[in-house]
């Protein structure tokens, strides 16, 4: 059964949230087989390989991202961990604090509401 890119992306994110790195790798490689220019899949592959301490493959995917997007903040930051051969603790986001909109998700914390004085 062939899954759509959207379905593969959801499954790959779910695998990462469950810290199932090998499954996340397989799913993101499937995404790249359908969309070779997918930066997000390459970033997710870098994270998964980094968590498995496979620094060679993590560097490979972060380098690919930086070729496609030389100022990508995530890839630049993660390359520091690769060079230092350190893993970065993967923190699962608190999904109750996410505001989801089509195409965007932003984390919200303690909101301060400003009410103008009339």
């Amino acid at each position: 059964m062939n899954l759509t890119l959207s379905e593969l992306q959801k499954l790959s994110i779910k695998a990462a949230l469950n810290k199932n790195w090998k499954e996340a790798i397989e799913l993101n490689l499937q995404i790249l087989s359908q969309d070779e220019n997918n930066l997000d899949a390459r970033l997710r592959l870098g994270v998964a390989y980094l968590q498995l301490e496979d620094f060679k493959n993590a560097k490979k995917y972060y380098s690919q991202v930086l070729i496609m997007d030389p100022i990508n903040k995530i890839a630049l930051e993660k390359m520091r961990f690769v060079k230092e051969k350190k893993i970065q603790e993967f923190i699962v986001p608190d999904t109750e604090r996410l505001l989801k909109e089509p195409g965007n998700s932003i984390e919200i914390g303690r909101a301060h509401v400003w009410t103008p004085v009339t």
Side-chain angles (χ1 to χ4, degrees):
M1 175 172 107
N2 287 336
L3 298 173
T4 67
L5 278 175
S6 178
E7 291 168 327
L8 287 169
Q9 288 171 342
K10 288 176 186 175
L11 289 172
S12 71
I13 291 168
K14 183 178 180 181
L17 291 174
N18 290 324
K19 299 183 182 183
N20 188 341
W21 303 117
K22 290 182 181 181
E23 181 182 352
I25 289 168
E26 291 174 24
L27 291 163
N28 284 295
L29 288 173
Q30 287 180 47
I31 291 169
L32 288 180
S33 73
Q34 291 184 31
D35 178 8
E36 65 184 30
N37 294 318
N38 193 307
L39 287 178
D40 291 333
R42 292 178 197 284
L43 287 169
R44 289 190 298 265
L45 280 163
V47 169
Y49 282 118
L50 190 59
Q51 293 301 312
L52 293 173
E53 297 184 45
D54 183 342
F55 301 108
K56 180 180 177 183
N57 277 314
K59 181 179 180 178
K60 171 185 169 181
Y61 286 101
Y62 290 135
S63 294
Q64 289 174 3
V65 169
L66 291 170
I67 288 169
M68 299 166 80
D69 179 9
I71 60 170
N72 187 291
K73 281 180 83 171
I74 296 169
L76 288 168
E77 177 187 331
K78 300 293 184 183
M79 280 297 260
R80 282 194 355 253
F81 290 97
V82 170
K83 288 177 183 175
E84 295 172 9
K85 296 197 176 194
K86 290 201 273 189
I87 63 168
Q88 181 183 25
E89 181 182 0
F90 183 78
I91 300 170
V92 177
D94 179 1
T95 55
E96 291 181 13
R97 294 177 56 204
L98 292 176
L99 174 63
K100 296 182 182 176
E101 297 176 5
N104 295 308
S105 292
I106 60 171
E107 184 172 351
I108 57 172
R110 296 182 187 131
H112 296 285
V113 179
W114 178 74
T115 308
V117 177
T118 54

